[in-house]
Amino acid sequence: RWRPCLLPLGQSFFVQPRTGKAFTQDSVYSLVARSCYKHTGKKTNPHLLRDMIVTHVRDSDASEKELEALALYMGHSISM
């Protein structure tokens, strides 16, 4: 049984805290941009955050297999 305050209002797993409605593409963009600015003081967006993560992984001691997996996850093809 759900407590009334936790009762799901729909099929979405991630919902906006104030409205309980599903996140939209714009609301995710806004959430990421505000959170990054709050923690770094720099303006950013989800795409730039994605690029920073990839750069960090590439500069680490990641194996070739891990880099290939990352490339596939990011939507790139692996051609040999």
Side-chain angles (χ1 to χ4, degrees):
R1 296 181 65 144
W2 292 92
R3 288 185 288 176
C5 64
L6 297 176
L7 184 64
L9 300 176
Q11 296 297 316
S12 300
F13 186 73
F14 293 107
V15 295
Q16 298 180 44
R18 291 188 190 129
T19 63
K21 294 180 181 177
F23 276 109
T24 63
Q25 183 175 352
D26 289 339
S27 59
V28 171
Y29 183 98
S30 178
L31 178 69
V32 170
R34 279 185 284 127
S35 297
C36 287
Y37 185 78
K38 179 181 174 184
H39 292 288
T40 66
K42 297 178 181 177
K43 290 185 178 181
T44 188
N45 58 57
H47 184 77
L48 183 58
L49 182 62
R50 174 184 184 255
D51 287 349
M52 290 188 296
I53 292 168
V54 170
T55 300
H56 174 75
V57 171
R58 287 182 60 208
D59 291 344
S60 70
D61 293 331
S63 70
E64 190 68 28
K65 275 194 170 288
E66 290 170 327
L67 292 173
E68 287 179 7
L70 179 63
L72 288 172
Y73 182 73
M74 294 297 180
H76 298 278
S77 62
I78 304 294
S79 55
M80 298 275 178

